[in-house]
Amino acid sequence: MPEPLHFHYIVDGNDFTSAGQASVDVKKNLRLLGLSPDIVRRVSIAMYEGEINMVIHAGGGEADITVDENGITIILADHGPGIADISLAMQEGYSTAPDNIRSLGFGAGMGLPNMKRYTDDMQIDSTVGAGTTITMKVNI
């Protein structure tokens, strides 16, 4: 059994132009590993949505990706305000993004629903005032 591969990224919450860099790098690495285009696409979408959420809502965070023979695990952790009502946040179209973010074309309320849609498993652990950790899994 080959050793799992780990990738770690710092998501800068102060630089909107760099949002998505981690998902681009993960996409490149998964392609180099020869994973199917569908798996690469699903991981890239889920990662990107998570990165954008960390920038918009939490001032950034960290992304840890593990690739093993069973799948890809993505752990996104931040120290933002937390999610007060996870079931409400999971509803398509619900957003707490401010108007200046919406004017940039973000904040449509599809981030968390898309993250769930493109992964095989997603768990959200959030504490108001302390931050959020989202763990996603895409099976191979």
Side-chain angles (χ1 to χ4, degrees):
M1 170 169 69
E3 288 292 314
L5 294 173
H6 300 283
F7 304 99
H8 177 78
Y9 302 93
I10 302 294
V11 178
D12 183 352
N14 298 314
D15 184 7
F16 231 102
T17 60
S18 71
Q21 290 296 92
S23 58
V24 168
D25 192 63
V26 167
K27 182 178 186 177
K28 179 187 73 163
N29 285 315
L30 295 179
R31 282 183 175 157
L32 289 173
L33 290 172
L35 292 170
S36 77
D38 181 60
I39 297 288
V40 172
R41 180 181 64 83
R42 292 172 60 210
V43 169
S44 298
I45 291 169
M47 276 272 312
Y48 179 79
E49 295 283 12
E51 278 183 86
I52 292 299
N53 277 356
M54 283 195 286
V55 171
I56 292 172
H57 301 287
E62 297 187 31
D64 286 285
I65 295 80
T66 302
V67 182
D68 64 28
E69 61 195 12
N70 298 314
I72 297 107
T73 302
I74 304 158
I75 300 173
L76 306 173
D78 67 56
H79 299 289
I83 302 170
D85 186 335
I86 292 172
S87 61
L88 182 60
M90 288 300 299
Q91 292 180 19
E92 292 187 10
Y94 176 79
S95 177
T96 59
D99 288 340
N100 66 316
I101 298 298
R102 291 173 189 259
S103 72
L104 297 172
F106 298 100
M110 293 303 296
L112 289 174
N114 278 339
M115 291 162 70
K116 183 167 181 61
R117 180 177 295 117
Y118 288 104
T119 58
D120 293 304
D121 184 59
M122 183 172 101
Q123 303 297 320
I124 301 173
D125 180 23
S126 190
T127 302
V128 173
T132 301
T133 299
I134 298 177
T135 304
M136 298 177 283
K137 176 88 173 179
V138 175
N139 298 327
I140 295 179

